[in-house]
């Protein structure tokens, strides 16, 4: 049988497995999702998909089956005989009072609805979990393609190898003379491309790894490896935050890749970069500032990095030279005995049966090289378990035995860098609650009372006082058909969001639109004598370094770091009370050293209020300022997934591994001054 090269592509119909369409996984019913509460009875809705009104017939049939087994329908699911539970889940021919018929279990019922949806979504989809395709075993290809062997291995077996193992396989491939003539050039090209991936620190990735599961740093290095292998010259490369999500060890490898591009005769322009190692490795540095927003926009420095350190105007130079930045915390917090979250037997992805404790009432940093398993442990297991235990709707957690200590937590909040809203309606003023208090002040003015205006009149999110031409957004959308839509200021309200009557009301000489146009700093000064409900959030926003934002600035225009600090500011303004676990994944992405310093201060303030902060971070500035460090590794992918060290930053720095080496430098333990941006 002769098989053409394109037939080995799972993206083409004649190569992909027909049962999973080349995806490698199919959706199948999951007993844990179908029966989430074992204490409920069938009558009370233990079988979650049959709680909906349209499935009333299925629920009644299930009750009849339970009764036919001589079991009370009110009995909790946990107490049902195993055979009965199997029938309810998977169905079979059963005897019901007066007749014998086939009972369709809930899992076949869900499968039938999935087939009827023909690839589209359907209401019961939330009860399905992706599992490897039984036909191809997750290999994505047809049986004919999987049967072809090279060097004793099929293409799916080779794709499942890590990059380093795949390179070893092709380097040691023994071919006959005729085969060597046909494929020698292809093998050389394969080896070169695999070597490029190893050079940028991605030797642990498997070739069949889905792109959506790659971290930001991994995806960017994959693209860089492709560019290095082109052997082109005379090109201009523009990169934006290429170190996002990278451990210091990975940054060193990235710098080597950038230098290789430069040495080949290319120009490498890093548009935005805050990492000290990349800045120090640059041939030329251009710095803008001195601050953000309207306080920035000036050229502070342009020249070699040696001159940057001695520049008095340069903010970055001050940090690099050690003139700025505060020292370490005066003390490390210690959790009370028994007050900790303990993850047992974590085996999701590359985690190798990890048992690890997260002390409560501390800033806990989780470190390790890219691909070590940090996000899997914290986000996919710890956060999801706590959220679901507290009644949240987080996705099912990754594979693990159990998580102990969840009863000690009252809330869990994942503070990421996603936008604070999906439209111009979400602003710093609305997210932090400032606008609610400001609307109350406007409603108390004499003119507002005379006109009968309530606080709702001054909301641009509801009819009454907003401009109806733009529905309170201040802009109108102009459809460009084959081009992206264009947003223009509303001609009716001039972008103010409100109608003329609402704008006729002023508070101390300012309209509501003029207040929203203020920066946070201006508003804090303007409302300095007003109630704490107004002053408090404004003060906190200034303290986290966001005084330059405008109160009415659309949330979609904020950077990831700005959005994250707005969320943290909103939390700081809440009343201290219920114990909250804050989960942050790479919070320093896109932040300058000055902003990192403020972020670390915010985290410690949250913990001082009786909460816990669990931070996944590669930034040694964050790690060295934490109370407790959990270091995973020692490498990435199959070489990771193990606990390398736990303890205070000083204890972790005294050990071995990539994090220990860089943490010693950050703490100044190896004769090198400590790094920047600490508490």
């Amino acid at each position: 049988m002769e098989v053409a090269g394109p037939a080995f592509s799972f993206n083409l119909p004649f190569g992909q497995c027909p049962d999973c369409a080349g995806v490698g996984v199919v959706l199948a019913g999951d007993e844990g999702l179908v029966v989430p509460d074992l204490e409920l009875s069938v009558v009370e809705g233990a079988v979650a998909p049959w709680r909906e009104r349209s499935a009333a017939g299925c629920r009644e049939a299930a009750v009849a089956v339970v009764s036919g087994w001589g079991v009370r329908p009110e009995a909790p699911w946990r107490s049902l005989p195993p055979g009965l539970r199997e029938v309810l889940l998977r169905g079979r021919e059963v005897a019901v009072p007066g007749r014998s018929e086939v009972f369709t279990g809930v899992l076949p019922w869900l499968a039938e609805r999935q087939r009827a949806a023909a690839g589209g979504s359907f209401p019961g989809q939330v009860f399905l979990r992706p599992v490897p395709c039984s036909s191809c075993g997750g290999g994505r290809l047809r049986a004919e393609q999987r049967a072809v062997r090279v060097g004793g291995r099929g293409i799916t077996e080779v794709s499942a190898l890590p990059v380093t193992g795949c390179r070893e396989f092709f380097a040691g491939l023994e071919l006959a003379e005729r085969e060597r003539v046909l494929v020698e050039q292809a093998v050389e090209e394969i080896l070169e491309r695999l070597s490029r991936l190893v050079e940028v620190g991605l030797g642990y990735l498997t070739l069949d790894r889905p792109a959506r599961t790659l971290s930001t740093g991994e995806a960017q290095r994959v693209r860089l490896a492709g560019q290095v292998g082109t052997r082109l010259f005379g090109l201009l490369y523009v990169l934006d935050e290429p170190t996002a999500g990278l451990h210091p060890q990975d940054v060193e490898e990235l710098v080597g890749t950038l230098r290789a591009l430069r040495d080949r005769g290319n120009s490498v322009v890093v548009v935005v970069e805050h990492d000290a190692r990349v800045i120090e490795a640059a041939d030329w540095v251009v710095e803008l500032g001195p601050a953000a927003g309207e306080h920035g926009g000036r050229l502070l420095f342009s020249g070699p990095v040696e001159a940057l350190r001695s520049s008095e105007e340069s903010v970055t130079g001050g940090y690099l030279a050690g003139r700025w930045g505060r020292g370490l915390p005066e003390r490390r917090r210690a959790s009370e005995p028994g007050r900790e979250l303990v993850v047992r037997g974590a085996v999701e992805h590359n985690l190798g049966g990890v048992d690890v404790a997260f002390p409560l009432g501390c800033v806990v940093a989780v470190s390790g090289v890219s691909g070590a398993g940090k996000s899997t442990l914290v986000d996919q297991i710890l956060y999801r378990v706590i959220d679901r235990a507290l009644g949240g709707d987080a996705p099912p957690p990754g594979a693990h035995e159990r998580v102990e200590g969840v009863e000690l937590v009252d809330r869990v909040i994942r503070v990421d860098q996603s936008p604070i809203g999906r439209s111009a309606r979400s602003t710093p003023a609305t997210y932090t609650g400032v606008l609610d208090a400001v609307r109350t002040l406007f409603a108390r003015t004499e003119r507002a009372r005379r006109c009968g205006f309530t606080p709702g009149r001054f909301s641009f999110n509801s009819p009454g006082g907003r401009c109806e031409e733009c529905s309170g957004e201040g802009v109108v959308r102009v459809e460009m058909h084959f081009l992206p839509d264009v947003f223009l200021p509303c001609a009716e309200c001039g972008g103010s969001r409100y109608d003329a009557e609402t704008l006729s009301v002023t508070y101390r000489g300012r309209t509501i639109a003029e207040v929203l146009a203020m920066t946070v700093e201006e508003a804090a000064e303007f409302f300095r004598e007003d109630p704490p409900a107004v002053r408090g959030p404004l003060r906190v926003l200034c303290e986290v370094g966001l005084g330059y934002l405008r109160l009415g600035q659309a949330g979609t225009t904020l950077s990831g770091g700005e959005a994250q600090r707005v969320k943290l500011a909103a939390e700081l303004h809440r009343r201290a009370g219920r114990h909250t676990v804050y989960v942050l994944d790479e919070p320093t992405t896109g932040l300058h050293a000055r902003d990192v310093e403020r972020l670390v201060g915010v985290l410690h303030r949250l913990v001082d209020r009786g909460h816990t902060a669990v931070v996944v971070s590669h930034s040694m500035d964050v790690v060295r300022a934490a109370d407790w460090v959990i270091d995973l590794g020692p490498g990435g992918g199959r070489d990771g997934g193990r606990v390398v060290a736990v303890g205070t930053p000083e204890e972790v720095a005294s050990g071995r591994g990539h994090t220990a080496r860089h943490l010693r430098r950050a703490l100044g333990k190896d004769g090198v001054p400590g790094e920047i941006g600490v508490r």
Side-chain angles (χ1 to χ4, degrees):
M1 177 182 64
E2 185 173 336
V3 182
F8 290 96
S9 172
F10 49 75
N11 290 318
L12 299 176
F14 43 79
Q16 63 190 207
C17 170
D19 291 337
C20 65
V23 179
V25 296
V26 294
L27 293 176
D30 183 274
E31 183 176 348
L33 300 178
V34 168
V35 187
D37 190 344
L38 302 181
E39 301 304 324
L40 294 180
S41 67
V42 174
V43 173
E44 295 169 327
V47 183
W50 288 344
R51 293 174 186 170
E52 57 185 83
R53 184 177 302 175
S54 61
C58 298
R59 188 167 58 252
E60 292 171 2
V63 171
V65 169
V66 174
S67 299
W69 275 65
V71 178
R72 290 184 308 105
E74 295 79 14
W77 180 274
R78 187 188 300 278
S79 67
L80 298 182
L84 175 55
R85 289 198 300 239
E86 188 71 13
V87 169
L88 293 172
L89 288 171
R90 293 174 173 81
R92 71 179 184 192
E93 185 175 324
V94 295
V96 296
R99 66 187 187 279
S100 178
E101 63 180 30
V102 175
F103 172 76
T104 302
V106 63
L107 298 182
W109 181 81
L110 285 171
E112 180 59 36
R113 300 190 81 183
Q114 181 183 4
R115 283 192 293 271
S121 60
F122 62 99
Q125 189 168 332
V126 294
F127 303 107
L128 303 179
R129 182 195 292 261
V131 297
C133 173
S134 58
S135 297
C136 64
R140 304 184 177 205
L141 296 171
R142 293 176 179 267
E144 297 86 345
Q145 281 80 352
R146 300 198 309 274
V148 177
R149 320 291 287 182
V150 173
R153 288 181 171 176
I155 187 171
T156 56
E157 296 173 68
V158 174
S159 298
L161 294 172
V163 171
T164 50
C166 192
R167 185 174 64 168
E168 292 173 2
F169 169 75
F170 281 103
L173 194 61
E174 295 182 2
L175 299 171
E177 186 63 31
R178 179 175 177 274
E179 293 173 328
R180 184 175 293 105
V181 172
L182 293 174
V183 302
E184 186 173 21
Q185 185 175 353
V187 171
E188 289 179 359
E189 186 173 345
I190 291 172
L191 287 172
E192 182 177 351
R193 296 190 181 194
L194 292 173
S195 297
R196 298 300 181 190
L197 288 170
V198 173
E199 288 172 7
V200 296
L202 296 178
Y204 60 88
L205 291 182
T206 57
L207 295 183
D208 60 0
R209 174 89 172 262
R212 67 179 183 279
T213 66
L214 297 178
S215 68
T216 305
E218 289 169 339
Q220 188 149 212
R221 281 183 286 161
V222 168
R223 292 193 291 270
L224 279 174
Q227 290 298 319
V228 172
T230 60
R231 298 183 178 179
L232 297 176
F233 59 91
L235 299 180
L236 174 66
Y237 292 96
V238 179
L239 298 90
D240 188 352
E241 291 287 354
T243 63
L246 294 191
H247 187 274
Q249 178 67 23
D250 303 318
V251 173
E252 292 180 354
E253 295 167 346
L254 174 65
V255 168
T257 301
L258 297 179
R259 283 174 168 160
L261 288 172
R262 177 201 62 187
D263 295 343
R264 190 167 293 154
N266 300 298
S267 297
V268 182
V269 179
V270 181
V271 176
V272 179
E273 188 50 70
H274 298 113
D275 190 277
R277 294 168 187 79
V278 177
I279 296 173
E280 291 174 334
D283 300 307
W284 197 266
V285 180
V286 176
E287 182 180 8
L288 302 178
E294 59 188 34
H295 300 307
R298 291 196 293 112
L299 178 64
L300 297 182
F301 178 83
S302 179
V305 68
E306 293 77 11
L308 177 69
R309 292 191 182 90
S310 59
S311 172
E312 294 297 328
E313 266 198 80
S314 170
V315 179
T316 303
Y319 278 100
L320 291 178
R323 296 192 300 272
W324 293 6
R326 289 174 285 180
L328 294 167
E330 295 180 2
R331 62 179 179 84
R332 306 286 188 191
R333 300 180 188 87
S335 179
E336 301 174 16
R339 283 184 49 80
E340 58 186 13
L341 294 165
V342 184
V343 177
R344 301 283 187 189
V347 293
E348 183 73 4
H349 296 320
N350 67 331
L351 295 178
V354 166
D355 293 338
V356 65
F358 296 79
L360 296 175
C362 300
V363 176
V364 182
V366 182
S367 62
V369 298
S370 298
K374 304 181 299 299
S375 296
T376 301
L377 175 65
V378 174
D379 185 45
Q380 297 185 28
I381 296 180
L382 182 69
Y383 165 73
R384 294 183 184 182
V385 167
I386 300 174
D387 186 69
R388 290 169 71 88
L390 297 176
D393 58 355
H400 69 289
E401 291 181 7
R402 65 186 184 278
V403 175
E404 303 168 358
V406 177
E407 69 279 359
L408 302 173
V409 178
D410 299 307
R411 288 196 313 156
V412 62
I413 296 178
R414 188 174 185 273
V415 188
D416 57 17
Q417 295 198 356
S418 61
I420 60 175
R422 298 181 179 179
S423 70
R425 298 184 184 281
S426 182
T427 67
T430 57
Y431 193 89
T432 57
V434 170
L435 187 57
D436 294 337
V438 169
R439 290 192 291 113
T440 300
L441 293 179
F442 271 85
R444 291 174 179 171
T445 62
E446 182 179 347
R447 178 170 177 77
R449 292 199 304 268
R450 193 166 57 245
C451 295
F453 292 167
T454 64
R457 176 82 190 194
F458 301 93
S459 171
F460 54 73
N461 286 322
S462 57
R466 72 183 185 185
C467 170
E468 293 302 330
E469 182 68 24
C470 62
S471 299
E473 291 198 16
V475 294
V476 292
R477 181 198 301 264
V478 179
E479 294 187 6
M480 301 297 288
H481 301 294
F482 299 107
L483 296 174
D485 293 343
V486 174
F487 292 87
L488 300 174
C490 175
E492 182 69 23
C493 66
S496 69
R497 301 174 181 253
Y498 295 94
D499 62 19
E501 282 189 275
T502 305
L503 295 178
S504 68
V505 179
T506 60
Y507 179 75
R508 288 168 39 195
R510 299 291 185 97
T511 67
I512 184 71
E514 290 173 330
V515 168
L516 289 175
M518 292 179 179
T519 65
V520 172
E521 293 171 334
E522 292 170 345
E525 175 64 23
F526 182 77
F527 292 108
R528 67 182 184 279
E529 303 296 335
D530 287 295
V534 181
R535 291 185 286 110
L538 295 173
R539 174 179 53 80
V540 175
L541 284 170
C542 289
E543 289 174 355
V544 300
L546 297 178
Y548 60 89
L549 293 182
R550 299 199 176 275
L551 291 182
Q553 185 171 338
T556 52
T557 66
L558 302 182
S559 69
E562 290 169 338
Q564 191 167 48
R565 279 182 287 160
V566 168
K567 296 174 185 178
L568 289 171
E571 289 298 319
L572 278 173
H573 183 60
R574 292 178 184 269
R575 289 184 179 181
R578 298 184 300 167
H579 186 94
T580 303
V581 173
Y582 295 95
V583 176
L584 300 92
D585 194 345
E586 294 297 346
T588 60
T589 299
L591 297 189
H592 185 272
R594 176 179 287 180
D595 299 320
V596 173
E597 183 177 351
R598 291 186 176 120
L599 173 67
V600 170
V602 170
L603 295 179
H604 280 279
R605 285 183 58 189
L606 286 171
V607 174
D608 288 339
R609 292 163 62 90
H611 304 303
T612 300
V614 179
V615 189
V616 175
S617 182
H618 292 120
S619 170
M620 292 299 106
D621 299 329
V622 173
V623 175
R624 78 174 189 142
D627 300 306
W628 194 256
V629 180
I630 299 171
D631 187 40
L632 299 182
R638 296 183 180 180
D639 295 328
R642 301 191 297 277
V643 177
V644 175
V646 295
T648 65
E650 289 78 10
E651 291 170 342
V652 172
S654 65
R656 297 181 178 180
H658 299 307
T659 299
R661 179 167 64 88
H662 291 280
L663 189 52
R664 281 196 295 273
R665 181 179 187 272
L667 292 168
K669 299 294 185 181
D670 58 356
V672 181
E675 291 189 8
I676 54 184
V678 293
R679 185 182 179 217

